[in-house]
Amino acid sequence: MIRQLRITALLAAALLMTGCGMMKTSSEMVAGDYKSTTNWPECAAKGGVALGVPTALSNLAAGGAAMVAGAMVSGLHCAIADQTPKTVHFDFGSDDLDMNDRMMLDAVAERMGKSKRIELTGYTCNIGPDQVNQDLSENRALAVKAYLMQKGIEESRIATWGKGKRNPVASNDEEETRMKNRRVEMKIFR
């Protein structure tokens, strides 16, 4: 009977940890606004309970050790589970996607599957006239959209915006930081 309980506990723990790691992360995948719903402390607690409680039924000390082990494994798994890219960066004055961008967007398209929607918001640094930056930010978002559509994502599932030089994520005082503002941020929704 105890052996059956242990096997059941291990299977339940495996299912719980796998489910936690496969939890969809937040709809918000933007660099600045990103809040993962894959909350590693929550996953750690689930893993600890899944392993610890059933083990504690037969041996309290072993149950405590199993709880700690389950928490560590499950928490770590959740912390690394979502590696989906959130931002595409561009060269100055450009809306061209390079090979690395395309590879990253391949992963995004795969992650989106057949039903998720995506919002693409383009930005620029602060160099140049406002209207030029506005147009460039829109063209950057449209470039990402066009690539995702080539990968099979329907146009109706992709929304685009351009915000020009508004909402910088880094200082525009130096080139090293200014380049971080030349971007398209991606948010995926269920």
Side-chain angles (χ1 to χ4, degrees), residues 25-26 58 161 177:
T25 57
S26 175
S58 63
W161 288 276
T177 54

Side-chain angles (χ1 to χ4, degrees), residues 66-79:
M67 188 172 285
V68 171
M72 289 172 46
V73 170
S74 190
L76 178 62
H77 182 74
C78 285

